Amino acid sequence: MNTFEKVVVIDGKGHLLGRLASIVAKQALSGQRVVVVRCEELNISGSFFRNKLKYHAFLRKRCVVNPARGAFHFRAPSRIFYRAIRGMVPHKTARGAAALDRIKLFEGVPPPYDRMKRLVVPSALRVLKLKPGRKYCTLKRVSREVGWKYDDVVAKLEEKRKVKSKAFYERKKAIVNLRAKATKGQASQLATVQEKIAALGH
């Protein structure tokens, strides 16, 4: 992500939460608009039980006088990830607030992002950055354990999306094969035309 794009869409699946958060925070502070989809598939290093205990310890941190004042404990995977990013951004300044406005986070892949190219960040991928054999867990499992209720809904919508996506890919593949076949069939006729074009220096 050296050059600025209008918007960068990142597929969160298989990325380590903290590593991806730091990269997204840096890009947003630089002025890049970033969208992260499939936040529920983010990975966290350490066993599920350890991460569950950590989150339950976080849930105990509250205002004794009136818990409604804060701290606010988000349960949805996208909001947990948002809070991790917020901790890496000077969010109380105008610059930091503007950076957070450039970030969008989603569970699943909602439209219009289901039709856009989704990227991965190699420096945040679990398979590249976590030593084989180390324990890890998915963010959706921790979220479900602490009160997120929409795991089934997101899974159902993702199944639908994957069916549509597969159908689109099959159609695309058929069109590519037809074009290749047509080009091959007309190769002999096109040879003379290509020679004339080459003679003109194109």
Side-chain angles (χ1 to χ4, degrees), residues 14-106:
H15 290 79
L16 289 168
L17 186 141
R19 283 177 179 268
L20 186 61
S22 66
I23 289 158
V24 169
K26 186 71 175 176
Q27 289 295 320
L29 285 166
S30 304
Q32 176 67 59
R33 291 182 183 278
V34 183
V35 175
V36 183
V37 293
R38 293 214 282 184
C39 286
E40 76 280 5
E41 297 289 350
L42 285 166
N43 293 146
I44 311 170
S45 59
S47 69
F48 164 69
F49 186 67
R50 178 186 172 83
N51 284 302
K52 184 179 122 173
L53 289 183
K54 272 188 186 177
Y55 206 89
H56 279 292
F58 169 56
L59 289 178
R60 286 197 297 275
K61 291 168 177 61
R62 63 190 194 130
C63 177
V64 177
V65 177
N66 181 7
R69 289 178 185 171
F72 302 107
H73 312 97
F74 299 124
R75 265 60 168 204
S78 61
R79 301 307 290 167
I80 292 171
F81 185 50
Y82 172 82
R83 196 181 165 108
I85 294 168
R86 195 188 74 175
M88 300 176 185
V89 169
H91 67 278
K92 292 186 181 182
T93 65
R95 175 172 168 260
L100 288 177
D101 285 340
R102 290 186 204 107
I103 297 166
K104 287 184 180 178
L105 310 170
F106 298 100

Side-chain angles (χ1 to χ4, degrees), residues 9-17 20 35-44 81 106-109 118-122 124-127 136-140 158 161-162:
V9 183
I10 298 170
D11 187 350
K13 186 174 181 176
H15 290 79
L16 289 168
L17 186 141
L20 186 61
V35 175
V36 183
V37 293
R38 293 214 282 184
C39 286
E40 76 280 5
E41 297 289 350
L42 285 166
N43 293 146
I44 311 170
F81 185 50
F106 298 100
E107 286 91 16
V109 188
R118 298 185 287 279
L119 309 176
V120 296
V121 182
L125 282 173
R126 176 186 53 79
V127 288
Y136 68 92
C137 65
T138 55
L139 185 54
K140 71 176 171 186
E158 277 295 279
R161 180 189 66 80
K162 283 172 184 172

